[in-house]
Amino acid sequence: MIELDRRAALGLFGGVASAAAFGWRPAFAATPKDTLVLVNEMGPNSLDTMLPSANDQARMVAWSVYDRLVSHGVKTMPNGALGYDSTVFTPELAESWEVLDGGKTMIFNLRKDATFHDGAPVTAEDVRWSFERAIAAGGFPAIQMAAGSLEFAEQFSVIDDHTFKITFEKPNKLSLPDLAVPVPCIVNKALVMQHATAADPWGLEWSQRNDAGGGAFSVASWKPGDQLVLSRFDDWKSGELPQMKRVVFRQIASPGTRRALLEKGDVDISVGLPPKDYAEMAAAGEIKVIGTPVQGDLLFMDMNVQMAPFDNLKVRQAIAYAIPYEEIMSSALYQRGLPMFGAPAGTTDFPPTWPTPSPFSTDLEKAKALLTEAGFPEGFETTLSFDLSQATTREPIALLVQESLAKIGVKLTIEKVPGANWFANMASKTMPFVIAEFYPWLDYPEYHFFWTYHGGNNSVFNTCNYVNPALDELIETARFATDDAVYKETLSKMVAIVMADIPRIPLAQLFGDVAMQQNVENYVYWFHQHIDYRTIRKS
């Protein structure tokens, strides 16, 4: 029975519960033309992304329910799909802006007709307070703001009701891009402050369950763990009014059910399906499948270097040689990604890019020899953790790794962490061995390193608990470098350090797959990987 369950989890039987198997072949979804219905495995655990434990779906809420000062343009990507253009900035709440003093001052002119969902006008004071609040929230929001050198309340000032100013000690090329991510969203200060307390001065307790935004959609209803319903905000002035008047986001754990609902025509979009399902539907052609290599994405395995035995370099190298890379790509990911392993053995000169393939491949004899050198000839026991909300790929990977490491004497206990607890577990730095993923919102290698390797930040995504002052110094050099040669040389040194120390084992750069009905149009790939409901149309 154990082997049967294992093979089923790995998808080796090919018996996916599919509506197509019963002859359902809709031309388009049986949903209203002005309503978008989508299903995912995980939903938001908070309506406010500033909450320390807010999960990734809370960023989706921030994107839809709140405005930012600026956004990005849209371009056609190599695969023919639409995607955001990181080189083009467009107005959102700010109708215009100026960058002065060589990048040390930014002045934003706000739309004078913008209002929040409760009808209150949006002012520069709301913007100033929202930025201060994001920093004060600490954790993920504060580190995200710091990536663009948005670190101190004193940097933000109000010139008048519709003019907002930011000052910087020195220019940072990430500052303007950092204003276009979900975190620096504009919150209704007066509304939230009505619910603030001495113990909760920023009103997080109230805003995690209530709407305080002015974005294209307002929250009509939310039942955590079940369904989020958004309604179009008809007075939205920060862009073209969406065609969709209503968005229904349903949380359904079973990937087979999510696929069946799509193929039957009961939903418009399904995300978070197993790679095998996307591959099958793309081949069949009845459902539109758009797959894009996720910008800067890395699926990896982290070893907590502050915990024995992963504080031993030879142990980390041994594990890196024992990972069943090719089987993971074929049996767990179904080739829905680019391999990030198999560079020539002994490589020390790396390109100034990230992610990039590691010089590791499966070699169990070498792995066993390294374990013996490390003082573990009989192996050891440890726990491998993964986010249960990502079980469609993480569980088969965990099972494959468990089987492979057993061959060198390493016994793994698999821990399935509920999605609602995953961020808190990452932040605790108590997991010895994890399967995780990071995709940077800003398309710069140093930004990826800032979030996942910088010991000074000790961010939630540094699950390897890696602290290396020399690397931290290089990251800071790259962040503020103006000379291209220095910049590229610094990046190459950064990559060489983490490949030599191997606290993190690169696996793959995944595809961002989305399956939708044929009549769903104008899907735009964004760096955060969430559906932008504002652009979706139905033919």
Side-chain angles (χ1 to χ4, degrees):
M1 184 63 184
I2 293 175
E3 178 60 17
L4 181 67
D5 290 344
R6 174 188 171 276
R7 293 179 65 195
L10 294 176
L12 300 179
F13 292 131
V16 177
S18 167
F22 299 95
W24 291 320
R25 290 283 190 259
F28 50 84
T31 61
K33 189 174 182 179
D34 62 359
T35 299
L36 184 72
V37 182
L38 68 158
V39 287
N40 198 354
E41 183 172 2
M42 189 67 183
N45 64 352
S46 169
L47 298 180
D48 190 345
T49 194
M50 302 305 165
L51 200 72
S53 60
N55 64 7
D56 192 53
Q57 294 300 333
R59 325 300 176 211
M60 173 270 292
V61 177
W63 191 256
S64 305
V65 175
Y66 293 83
D67 275 345
R68 282 140 297 280
L69 290 175
V70 298
S71 188
H72 286 286
V74 175
K75 64 181 180 181
T76 300
M77 299 186 296
N79 64 353
L82 296 177
Y84 93 104
D85 189 339
S86 64
T87 67
V88 176
F89 294 92
T90 59
E92 194 160 293
L93 183 59
E95 58 185 5
S96 64
W97 60 90
E98 297 177 275
V99 179
L100 308 171
D101 304 327
K104 294 173 68 175
T105 302
M106 294 182 180
I107 297 177
F108 297 86
N109 302 303
L110 308 184
R111 300 178 187 275
K112 294 182 173 61
D113 56 355
T115 64
F116 289 109
H117 297 151
D118 68 352
V122 181
T123 69
E125 173 57 21
D126 291 302
V127 179
R128 186 206 64 76
W129 180 81
S130 297
F131 280 28
E132 182 180 358
R133 182 177 188 256
I135 293 170
F140 176 86
I143 297 174
Q144 180 62 55
M145 297 288 281
S149 295
L150 304 163
E151 301 178 83
F152 307 104
E154 294 75 21
Q155 292 178 252
F156 316 128
S157 60
V158 172
I159 295 178
D160 59 41
D161 278 354
H162 298 98
T163 312
F164 173 65
K165 179 180 178 182
I166 308 176
T167 57
F168 303 90
E169 183 178 338
K170 56 183 177 180
N172 182 345
K173 60 180 173 292
L174 302 184
S175 295
L176 189 59
D178 204 28
L179 295 176
V181 306
V183 168
C185 56
I186 313 309
V187 181
N188 186 332
K189 177 185 177 181
L191 178 60
V192 172
M193 289 304 292
Q194 292 175 20
H195 305 277
T197 65
D200 180 25
W202 301 102
L204 292 170
E205 183 64 30
W206 180 84
S207 61
Q208 68 174 304
R209 299 180 181 87
N210 294 276
D211 176 347
F217 291 90
S218 62
V219 176
S221 64
W222 179 45
K223 184 179 180 181
D226 182 19
Q227 181 171 282
L228 170 71
V229 179
L230 304 178
S231 296
R232 188 178 71 185
F233 179 43
D234 289 340
D235 287 331
W236 188 56
K237 298 298 191 296
S238 296
E240 182 181 350
L241 201 63
Q243 184 193 80
M244 296 298 106
K245 293 183 179 180
R246 192 166 179 261
V247 175
V248 180
F249 182 107
R250 296 177 59 195
Q251 185 174 338
I252 297 176
S254 167
T257 301
R258 296 199 303 276
R259 176 173 174 174
L261 288 169
L262 182 69
E263 292 180 317
K264 187 179 179 181
D266 289 338
V267 303
D268 298 300
I269 297 176
S270 184
V271 294
L273 290 172
K276 182 175 184 288
D277 287 359
Y278 286 120
E280 289 176 349
M281 288 189 292
E286 299 290 338
I287 297 294
K288 186 190 302 183
V289 176
I290 299 177
T292 307
V294 177
Q295 166 189 291
D297 174 79
L298 186 62
L299 175 69
F300 55 84
M301 302 190 72
D302 263 1
M303 297 167 284
N304 191 325
V305 299
Q306 306 298 328
M307 299 176 67
F310 297 120
D311 55 349
N312 187 316
L313 174 59
K314 290 188 182 298
V315 169
R316 299 198 298 271
Q317 292 172 333
I319 299 300
Y321 279 115
I323 301 300
Y325 297 101
E326 295 291 353
E327 199 171 355
I328 287 172
M329 289 300 301
S330 60
S331 298
L333 301 179
Y334 290 86
Q335 308 300 339
R336 301 299 292 175
L338 305 175
M340 284 295 131
F341 54 86
T347 299
T348 57
D349 186 15
F350 292 92
T353 58
W354 190 263
T356 193
S358 80
F360 291 91
S361 56
T362 308
D363 187 335
L364 295 180
E365 287 188 13
K366 194 166 188 176
K368 184 66 175 175
L370 282 164
L371 268 190
T372 299
E373 290 179 39
F376 296 92
E378 304 303 321
F380 57 87
E381 296 184 14
T382 191
T383 300
L384 175 61
S385 306
F386 68 83
D387 178 356
L388 188 56
S389 72
Q390 301 293 323
T392 51
T393 56
R394 307 301 195 260
E395 186 165 13
I397 292 172
L399 290 168
L400 288 168
V401 171
Q402 183 184 51
E403 182 178 58
S404 186
L405 264 59
K407 296 174 183 177
I408 64 170
V410 176
K411 182 180 179 181
L412 290 183
T413 298
I414 296 175
E415 179 190 29
K416 305 174 185 181
V417 180
N421 301 335
W422 182 245
F423 265 71
N425 278 38
M426 287 198 299
S428 73
K429 312 292 183 186
T430 57
M431 296 183 290
F433 193 24
V434 305
I435 304 170
E437 179 186 7
F438 182 81
Y439 48 91
W441 286 348
L442 307 184
D443 196 14
Y444 300 82
E446 66 273 25
Y447 175 82
H448 196 133
F449 274 68
F450 178 83
W451 266 108
T452 67
Y453 285 114
H454 199 301
N457 289 340
N458 198 28
S459 95
V460 65
F461 295 108
N462 184 2
T463 43
C464 53
N465 213 359
Y466 187 65
V467 180
N468 184 334
L471 178 62
D472 294 350
E473 186 175 341
L474 289 171
I475 294 171
E476 292 304 304
T477 298
R479 287 179 65 205
F480 297 100
T482 55
D483 182 284
D484 191 56
V486 171
Y487 176 65
K488 290 180 177 178
E489 180 183 6
T490 303
L491 292 180
S492 293
K493 290 179 180 178
M494 289 160 51
V495 176
I497 287 175
V498 299
M499 291 300 188
D501 276 358
I502 202 67
R504 171 170 299 137
I505 303 171
L507 297 178
Q509 179 182 6
L510 299 182
F511 292 163
D513 287 320
V514 180
M516 63 194 78
Q517 302 297 340
Q518 293 289 351
N519 71 322
V520 176
E521 300 175 346
N522 223 41
Y523 160 76
V524 178
Y525 164 80
W526 279 90
F527 54 83
H528 47 63
Q529 290 201 77
H530 297 296
I531 307 295
D532 190 341
Y533 311 133
R534 301 173 300 182
T535 64
I536 294 292
R537 297 171 189 156
K538 291 187 188 179
S539 59

